[in-house]
């Protein structure tokens, strides 16, 4: 294992860094693990956005003339960043599915090695 590969194992996500991309099964495992992590992270960010909205609305002080409406708007604006990040993570999960589908389209025909009855192979023994 190279030094660069060792550094990657130390600093990367353990679920993904242990998978060596040397086979179709390993690629499928990597895609599935990546997709699961992206979906989990998206859910966590969505939860954080809701929590931020609630906490900032309650704890922040706004203009008394606006009866808290300015605080709600500012809290929603901050939480929207987490919501956008959540959507991007969902998009990342979708892209992992597309990666697998594209792999199947581009490389599966070459991997499967179907016998072609129309092409006769040369027999050296005959």
């Amino acid at each position: 294992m190279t030094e660069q590969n060792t550094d990657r194992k130390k600093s990367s996500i353990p679920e993904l860094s242990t998978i060596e991309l040397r086979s179709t099964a390993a690629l499928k495992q990597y895609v599935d693990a990546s997709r699961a992590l992206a979906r989990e992270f998206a859910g966590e960010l969505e939860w954080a956005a809701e929590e931020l909205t609630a906490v900032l609305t309650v704890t922040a002080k706004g203009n008394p003339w606006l009866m808290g409406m300015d605080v709600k708007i500012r809290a929603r604006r901050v939480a929207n960043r987490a919501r956008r990040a959540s959507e991007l993570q969902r998009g990342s999960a979708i892209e992992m599915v597309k990666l697998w589908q594209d792999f199947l389209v581009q490389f599966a025909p070459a991997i499967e090695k179907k016998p072609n009855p129309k092409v006769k192979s040369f027999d050296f023994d005959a």
Side-chain angles (χ1 to χ4, degrees):
M1 192 173 348
T2 64
E3 186 173 324
Q4 180 185 10
N5 206 3
T6 306
D7 292 340
R8 180 183 176 271
K9 299 245 185 232
K10 290 179 188 175
S11 64
S12 296
I13 300 169
E15 293 90 342
L16 300 178
S17 64
T18 57
I19 302 170
E20 292 191 23
L21 300 175
R22 299 198 184 274
S23 67
T24 303
L27 178 61
K28 178 66 173 161
Q29 183 183 5
Y30 188 85
V31 166
D32 290 342
S34 298
R35 182 174 177 254
L37 286 171
R39 290 178 68 187
E40 287 177 30
F41 194 40
E44 181 66 29
L45 290 170
E46 187 65 34
W47 175 84
E50 296 300 322
E51 191 70 18
L52 267 172
T53 303
V55 169
L56 292 176
T57 301
V58 171
T59 58
K61 296 184 180 187
N63 188 337
W65 291 97
L66 296 175
M67 297 180 289
M69 288 304 294
D70 60 332
V71 174
K72 289 180 185 178
I73 291 169
R74 290 185 295 154
R76 192 176 322 135
R77 187 173 181 178
V78 170
N80 278 341
R81 296 290 178 187
R83 283 190 190 90
R84 286 187 195 112
S86 174
E87 287 299 317
L88 289 171
Q89 286 302 310
R90 284 191 186 94
S92 176
I94 291 168
E95 286 299 317
M96 292 310 293
V97 171
K98 290 180 180 179
L99 179 148
W100 179 249
Q101 291 171 343
D102 202 26
F103 170 78
L104 290 178
V105 168
Q106 300 298 326
F107 290 97
I111 293 172
E112 289 177 3
K113 295 182 184 177
K114 295 179 184 175
N116 192 349
K118 293 180 183 177
V119 178
K120 295 181 180 180
S121 62
F122 186 80
D123 189 7
F124 285 96
D125 296 329

